[in-house]
Amino acid sequence: MPGCELPESLRQYYLDTLGITNWRLQQPASVVADVVVDQAALPDAAPVADNTGDASVALDDDWRELQQAVSQCRLCEELAQSRTQTVFGVGNRQADVLVIGEAPGRDEDAQGEPFVGRAGQLLNAMLAAIDLPREQVFIANILKCRPPNNRDPSPQEAQNCRAFLQRQIALIQPKVIFVVGRIAAQNLLDTDLAIGKMRGRDYQYQDENTGPVPVIVTYHPAYLLRQPGEKRKSWQDLLRLRALMQSW
Ligand code: URA
């Protein structure tokens, strides 16, 4: 796995933050299912720019265009009116690991960056516990705008925002998607399965611009803050992610 090994004391600190004090690194449970999501029926993703000339310049242009399109989007009128700003996503554009959450909350809406509140701090600790610094991954959400009062995104809002996420996935070309929370997992994988049923299974995301990408589903850090007893399960999910990364 790329990235530096954590000193044991620091790893222990992160595990303590996760509420996992007596656990050792171990191999994850074996594969339970292999579900391919073919999303060909979904609406067109944002258009692919004409990539002639210098590839990195073209890629920069693609990101700039996408970021601008997100910031100007008013497809969901209620969200466009109530947001402070859009929250595009943050991190390494060449990341192997793409983390996908649900939608910005109050802190994220104020700062314009995903997962900066308490849930974000726990997410950082979760990633760090498997030697994965936040800066090494890319973090995005299903929705780029905060739903008022942190209500769940409506299906229509998720649908409206889908092309932006698809484009992010196509540009990043991650080797794995780590999806946190029921809403994010259900939307990404186009299912209404309960999260407890999705955890531990091998999923793949695929759309017309993106070949199959493995997906690991885990609980949302905000849920873990409310239900700390579930952190052990999320640790299992992190170990699956870590094992996959070590196989590269
Ligand atoms: N919860 C999410 O799902 N995303 C964020 O960016 C913040 C909190």
Side-chain angles (χ1 to χ4, degrees), residues 101-105 108 114-115 141 220:
E102 177 181 325
E108 291 75 22
F115 283 102
N141 282 310
H220 196 286

Side-chain angles (χ1 to χ4, degrees), residues 32 85 132 231 247:
V32 176
Q85 58 193 310
L132 190 54
K231 286 180 179 175
S247 73

Side-chain angles (χ1 to χ4, degrees), residues 140-159:
N141 282 310
I142 297 287
L143 287 197
K144 311 304 185 207
C145 297
R146 179 193 184 203
N149 304 315
N150 295 344
R151 66 162 168 74
D152 288 353
S154 72
Q156 185 60 53
E157 288 163 352
Q159 174 79 359

Side-chain angles (χ1 to χ4, degrees), residues 109-140:
D109 174 72
Q111 294 185 41
E113 181 172 329
F115 283 102
V116 290
R118 278 186 72 221
Q121 283 164 22
L122 180 55
L123 177 66
N124 295 346
M126 290 164 68
L127 298 174
I130 55 162
D131 296 343
L132 190 54
R134 176 182 170 100
E135 299 71 35
Q136 201 171 306
V137 307
F138 195 93
I139 305 178

Side-chain angles (χ1 to χ4, degrees), residues 190-210:
D190 203 15
T191 176
D192 54 10
L193 269 184
I195 188 154
K197 293 235 168 6
M198 282 188 264
R199 282 192 51 256
R201 290 195 188 188
D202 281 351
Y203 285 98
Q204 291 190 330
Y205 171 87
Q206 185 164 18
D207 65 39
E208 59 268 34
N209 299 311
T210 305

